[in-house]
Amino acid sequence: MVLLVSPLSSPNACGMKASLSPAPPLDHARNLWPHDYSEFCETIDRYNKEMKKLAERVMHLMLQSLGLNEDDLDWAGPVKDLQEVSGVLQLNSYPSCPDPDRAMGLAAHTDSSLLTILHQNSTSGLQVLRAQDIYGPARWVTIPPLPGALVINIGDLSHILSNGRFHSVLHRAVVNRIRHRYSMAYICGPPAHAKVSPLRPSSGRPVFRAVTWPEYLGLKGKLFNQALASIRVSDETWEDHNNASVITCV
Ligand SMILES: O=C(O)CCC(=O)C(=O)O
Ligand SMILES: [Fe+2]
């Protein structure tokens, strides 16, 4: 089961609204706990706010580590204005499965976000694909839940923004034979109107074309794990673009 909630621009009793889920979360919560749904709503609201603050701090640090400053962020204004970052909270529930090898909790994917902050309950299930290295071929590695720890996944939009210097991570969730697993993913991205494009590419040229988050989500829906490749700018396109610019300037 997946429930998606995002902050409301004008708060209601629950302080959140449905993003992609079929019924508004407030209605869902009322159905589940007809006599006391407010505790759930208030907790989610508090969690959302804390995650937003954390996401902004982490984004700030990531941009700093790329050598970027406030003036480089034309999609969200200066870095200090990163409160514009928007987020959706996705609640994942994976019931136990007697034959886990024949079931998949969540298929392998990269997140379409800038970054995703994940909380797992005490049952492990998150795995990331580690590329081939001197220790062996490509393999799935379990990220064990640690008390009090959150996992931060780099999403495709950070991959684009950093021109490939931060890699979005292929991950999946497997199910447990006897234990029910829960996770909460705070999926963070830029404002919907903002175009995300490579900032100060170290390689000399941008490897990806600019996209908005909604446009990229559309591509992901159609092309799934090929979406990132689909917005790569090929060497030929780049050369054509450069030649065209030269001709225009002359
Ligand atoms: O449940 C997990 O550990 C992974 C969740 C996830 O990857 C997602 O919600 O995008
Ligand atoms: Fe994910």
Side-chain angles (χ1 to χ4, degrees), residues 83-157:
Q83 53 266 32
E84 283 302 315
V85 160
S86 52
V88 174
L89 188 63
Q90 178 169 299
L91 309 182
N92 302 312
S93 166
Y94 309 95
S96 60
C97 174
D99 200 352
D101 293 339
R102 298 181 61 202
M104 179 51 66
L106 204 54
H109 65 282
T110 55
D111 292 341
S112 307
S113 52
L114 280 168
L115 50 89
T116 303
I117 305 176
L118 189 82
H119 169 80
Q120 337 178 47
N121 74 343
S122 57
T123 303
S124 66
L126 174 65
Q127 296 185 327
V128 298
L129 189 69
R130 177 158 293 169
Q132 179 176 353
D133 56 20
I134 53 164
Y135 303 105
R139 59 211 176 271
W140 288 105
V141 176
T142 297
I143 308 295
L146 300 175
L150 297 164
V151 176
I152 298 188
N153 282 338
I154 300 290
D156 291 343
L157 291 186

Side-chain angles (χ1 to χ4, degrees), residues 103-248:
M104 179 51 66
L106 204 54
H109 65 282
T110 55
D111 292 341
S112 307
S113 52
L114 280 168
L115 50 89
T116 303
I117 305 176
L118 189 82
H119 169 80
Q120 337 178 47
N121 74 343
S122 57
T123 303
S124 66
L126 174 65
Q127 296 185 327
V128 298
L129 189 69
R130 177 158 293 169
Q132 179 176 353
D133 56 20
I134 53 164
Y135 303 105
R139 59 211 176 271
W140 288 105
V141 176
T142 297
I143 308 295
L146 300 175
L150 297 164
V151 176
I152 298 188
N153 282 338
I154 300 290
D156 291 343
L157 291 186
S158 284
H159 195 120
I160 297 165
L161 196 68
S162 68
N163 211 31
R165 278 171 284 177
F166 292 130
H167 274 249
S168 55
V169 60
L170 193 66
H171 58 285
R172 67 182 188 183
V174 297
V175 290
N176 190 278
R177 192 182 305 275
I178 44 175
R179 297 178 62 183
H180 199 129
R181 177 168 185 270
Y182 299 95
S183 70
M184 287 196 284
Y186 183 79
I187 300 163
C188 150
H193 64 269
K195 285 221 164 203
V196 176
S197 57
L199 295 170
R200 288 234 194 112
S202 58
S203 69
R205 74 161 180 91
V207 178
F208 301 100
R209 72 169 173 82
V211 277
T212 62
W213 198 11
E215 184 192 351
Y216 190 71
L217 285 170
L219 286 171
K220 197 77 177 229
K222 268 191 256 157
L223 304 171
F224 196 49
N225 283 344
Q226 298 308 314
L228 197 54
S230 80
I231 59 160
R232 263 188 170 270
V233 180
S234 67
D235 284 342
E236 294 82 52
T237 313
W238 177 247
E239 273 160 25
D240 287 353
H241 172 85
N242 265 357
N243 291 339
S245 314
V246 171
I247 290 163
T248 310

